[in-house]
């Protein structure tokens, strides 16, 4: 069965096959991580990230002149789909590394060559040594989540993370919540206000090493799905940072958030695609072997109709996700509304297809012995992170209106 209906280049199809074949070797481990206590997975995930250095996976998005493979949104979407076909949680872990690096990559694209030398080159060098850096991206706070996406006049939320200037240092205080890779990160890209009276117009972006004094992982969050992706609550207690750790000065942090979300949402659609395709293939495999009423259930019209509708939904999602991922590489400013549309549509398809796969498989689909119940748990998060689908829809409507 072909992997894609969308016309990807031979190079991108080779990338997909390489990543998927690599990940298949680790599927038994990743399935075990889905079943164990959530705070016991950290060492295993870090070890698996080191394994990805064998194919230089984490350097995929870094420009060639800084030692990377030079792919961007299209390559990220292809790779994340391939990983998510095996395990969506680990796709989120890899994607979170890229998300943490994305403000650096975007700054480099916009002419800040100094940040490329300072952060990107050491990243690819570490990956080449088999000691990849783990990055995370920290926007969400206990009191502010989707608020970051769509702040309305007169209703700015209560932000908890602030940075103040103190001599030659920036001093960072606050908390961040639901941070993918937070418990295992070497570096965290942190957005903070610098003037409470000015709100988000004073936002800055900092790169915080996790070994700095005052950084603390408060908790590892026990999640319904994506259980191979460590997620945590982080605290910053008088963390002192030099100017070299200031990526975006006060006033530019909000703009960087909008650019980052524009580039990251379509690739999240790739994660949803990987989940949907795995659920689809599991349902077909089962329907071809399960006999009821003297016939394989795939021969029953109602099952064939379900399978056909699943195929249509996946093909439509794939077309939207990959066309937007391609446009993101050539259009500036990147179309946030279209990236949001790809994320929303693909995530809804993932949940719908996973539900139909369970229905086709009946009681077996509901059992933990079959992977489709895990796929449904994993699919649900794609409707929530990178901005809830409801907030994404408001973003799309804002752009239209």
């Amino acid at each position: 069965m072909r992997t894609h209906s969308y016309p990807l280049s031979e190079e991108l199809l080779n990338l997909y096959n390489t990543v998927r074949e690599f990940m298949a070797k680790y599927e038994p481990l990743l399935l075990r991580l889905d079943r164990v206590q959530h705070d016991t997975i950290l060492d295993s995930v870090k070890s698996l990230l080191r394994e990805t250095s064998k194919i230089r996976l984490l350097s995929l998005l870094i420009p060639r002149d800084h030692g990377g493979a030079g792919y961007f949104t299209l390559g990220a979407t292809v790779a994340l789909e391939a990983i998510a076909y095996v395990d969506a949680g680990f796709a989120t872990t890899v994607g979170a590394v890229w998300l943490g690096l994305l403000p650096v990559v975007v700054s480099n694209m916009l002419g800040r060559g100094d940040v490329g030398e300072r952060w990107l080159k050491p990243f690819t060098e570490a990956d080449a040594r088999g000691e990849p850096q783990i990055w995370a991206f920290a926007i969400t706070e206990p009191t502010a989540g989707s608020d970051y996406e769509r702040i309305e006049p007169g209703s700015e939320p209560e932000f908890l993370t602030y940075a103040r200037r103190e001599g030659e240092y920036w001093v960072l205080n606050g908390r961040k919540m639901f941070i993918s890779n937070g418990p295992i990160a070497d570096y965290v890209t942190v957005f903070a206000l610098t003037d409470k009276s000015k709100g988000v117009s004073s936002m800055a972006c900092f790169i915080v090493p996790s070994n700095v004094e005052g950084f603390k992982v408060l908790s590892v969050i026990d999640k319904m799905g994506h259980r191979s992706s460590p997620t945590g609550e982080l605290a910053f207690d008088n963390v002192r940072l030099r100017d070299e750790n200031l990526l975006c000065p006060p006033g530019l942090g909000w703009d960087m958030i909008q650019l980052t979300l524009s580039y990251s949402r379509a690739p999240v659609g790739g994660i949803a695609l990987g989940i949907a395709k795995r659920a689809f293939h599991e349902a077909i495999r089962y329907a071809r072997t399960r006999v009821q009423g003297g016939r394989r259930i795939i021969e029953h019209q109602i099952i064939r109709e379900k399978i056909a509708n699943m195929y249509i939904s996946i093909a439509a999602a794939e077309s939207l996700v990959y066309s937007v991922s391609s446009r993101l590489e050539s259009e500036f400013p990147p179309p946030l509304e279209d990236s949001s549309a790809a994320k929303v549509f693909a995530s809804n398809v993932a949940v719908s297809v996973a539900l139909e796969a369970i229905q086709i498989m009946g009681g077996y689909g509901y059992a933990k012995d079959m992977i489709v119940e895990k796929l449904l748990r994993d699919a649900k998060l794609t409707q929530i992170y990178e901005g809830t689908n409801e907030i994404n829809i408001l973003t799309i409507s804002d752009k239209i209106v």
Side-chain angles (χ1 to χ4, degrees):
M1 187 179 294
R2 63 180 180 175
T3 59
H4 295 82
S5 56
Y6 185 83
L8 293 173
S9 68
E10 184 177 353
E11 179 183 351
L12 288 171
L13 287 173
N14 287 338
L15 172 64
Y16 177 87
N17 290 327
T18 297
V19 174
R20 187 164 143 186
E21 289 170 9
F22 175 82
M23 290 305 306
K25 296 182 292 185
Y26 301 97
E27 183 168 8
L29 168 63
L30 290 163
L31 288 174
R32 285 198 300 273
L33 295 184
D34 180 65
R35 306 290 177 86
V36 301
Q37 184 67 24
H38 66 284
D39 53 2
T40 66
I41 69 169
L42 306 185
D43 289 340
S44 295
V45 176
K46 288 191 284 188
S47 175
L48 188 49
L49 285 170
R50 287 193 292 271
E51 288 293 303
T52 68
S53 290
K54 294 177 180 177
I55 60 170
R56 300 291 304 280
L57 177 63
L58 297 182
S59 295
L60 194 73
L61 267 63
I62 310 302
R64 285 190 173 89
D65 56 357
H66 291 298
Y71 289 97
F72 195 40
T73 50
L74 191 53
T77 302
V78 168
L80 290 174
E81 183 198 325
I83 300 169
Y85 188 91
V86 176
D87 182 67
F90 195 68
T92 292
T93 296
V94 171
V97 172
W98 292 339
L99 185 59
L101 283 165
L102 192 50
V104 183
V105 173
V106 171
S107 297
N108 184 71
M109 285 168 48
L110 297 177
R112 290 279 310 278
D114 59 310
V115 301
E117 287 296 317
R118 176 76 179 87
W119 301 107
L120 300 181
K121 190 174 181 180
F123 179 88
T124 57
E125 290 173 345
D127 194 19
R129 294 195 303 271
E131 302 169 353
Q133 297 174 1
I134 304 172
W135 284 58
F137 183 81
I139 297 181
T140 303
E141 305 191 0
T143 56
S146 295
D147 310 70
Y148 272 109
E149 169 70 12
R150 192 174 186 271
I151 295 176
E152 298 182 0
S155 62
E156 189 164 306
E158 178 187 0
F159 294 105
L160 300 179
T161 306
Y162 293 90
R164 70 178 188 276
R165 190 72 182 181
E166 194 173 278
E168 61 182 13
Y169 292 96
W170 289 94
V171 181
L172 184 66
N173 283 279
R175 289 164 61 196
K176 295 292 184 179
M177 190 69 174
F178 300 122
I179 307 305
S180 299
N181 289 0
I184 60 173
D186 299 306
Y187 296 94
V188 183
T189 308
V190 178
F191 291 85
L193 303 189
T194 58
D195 188 333
K196 294 183 181 182
S197 66
K198 294 181 179 178
V200 295
S201 63
S202 73
M203 188 172 286
C205 177
F206 299 89
I207 298 175
V208 181
S210 62
N211 63 359
V212 71
E213 185 176 356
F215 174 89
K216 185 177 181 181
V217 177
L218 294 181
S219 66
V220 181
I221 298 168
D222 193 3
K223 306 190 303 300
M224 169 182 168
H226 292 241
R227 294 182 60 82
S228 60
S229 171
T231 307
E233 181 178 5
L234 309 179
F236 308 89
D237 183 12
N238 289 320
V239 172
R240 298 170 71 82
L241 302 167
R242 295 187 179 275
D243 281 338
E244 64 189 25
N245 294 90
L246 178 66
L247 183 63
C248 299
L252 295 182
W254 179 256
D255 293 332
M256 180 56 75
I257 287 175
Q258 300 305 302
L259 283 172
T260 301
L261 293 176
S262 297
Y263 286 123
S264 65
R265 282 184 173 158
V268 168
I271 295 177
L273 271 177
I275 298 170
K277 289 183 181 181
R278 180 64 181 271
F280 177 66
H281 293 153
E282 292 293 332
I284 290 176
R285 186 179 298 115
Y286 179 87
R288 283 174 172 162
T289 58
R290 175 68 168 169
V291 175
Q292 290 285 280
R295 290 190 297 170
R296 297 179 304 159
I297 65 171
I298 202 168
E299 297 173 27
H300 290 275
Q301 184 175 349
I302 189 65
I303 300 299
R304 294 170 74 94
E305 180 181 348
K306 286 180 181 294
I307 288 172
N309 284 330
M310 293 160 77
Y311 176 85
I312 291 167
S313 296
I314 291 170
E318 182 181 278
S319 181
L320 179 58
V321 166
Y322 279 112
S323 63
V324 173
S325 296
S326 179
R327 287 174 53 209
L328 289 171
E329 299 194 342
S330 59
E331 296 183 20
F332 192 89
L336 175 58
E337 66 273 25
D338 292 333
S339 194
S340 291
K343 184 265 189 191
V344 169
F345 190 79
S347 62
N348 287 343
V349 166
V351 171
S352 174
V353 169
L355 281 168
E356 283 288 60
I358 291 173
Q359 197 68 21
I360 288 171
M361 297 170 71
Y364 288 103
Y366 197 66
K368 284 188 176 291
D369 289 343
M370 297 291 195
I371 196 173
V372 288
E373 65 84 26
K374 173 185 181 294
L375 295 174
L376 178 59
R377 289 187 283 112
D378 289 343
K380 185 59 192 173
L381 185 57
T382 65
Q383 293 181 319
I384 297 171
Y385 67 0
E386 289 279 330
T388 63
N389 280 7
E390 291 79 5
I391 285 294
N392 275 270
I393 287 170
L394 289 175
T395 296
I396 295 166
S397 67
D398 286 345
K399 294 289 186 180
I400 295 171
V401 174

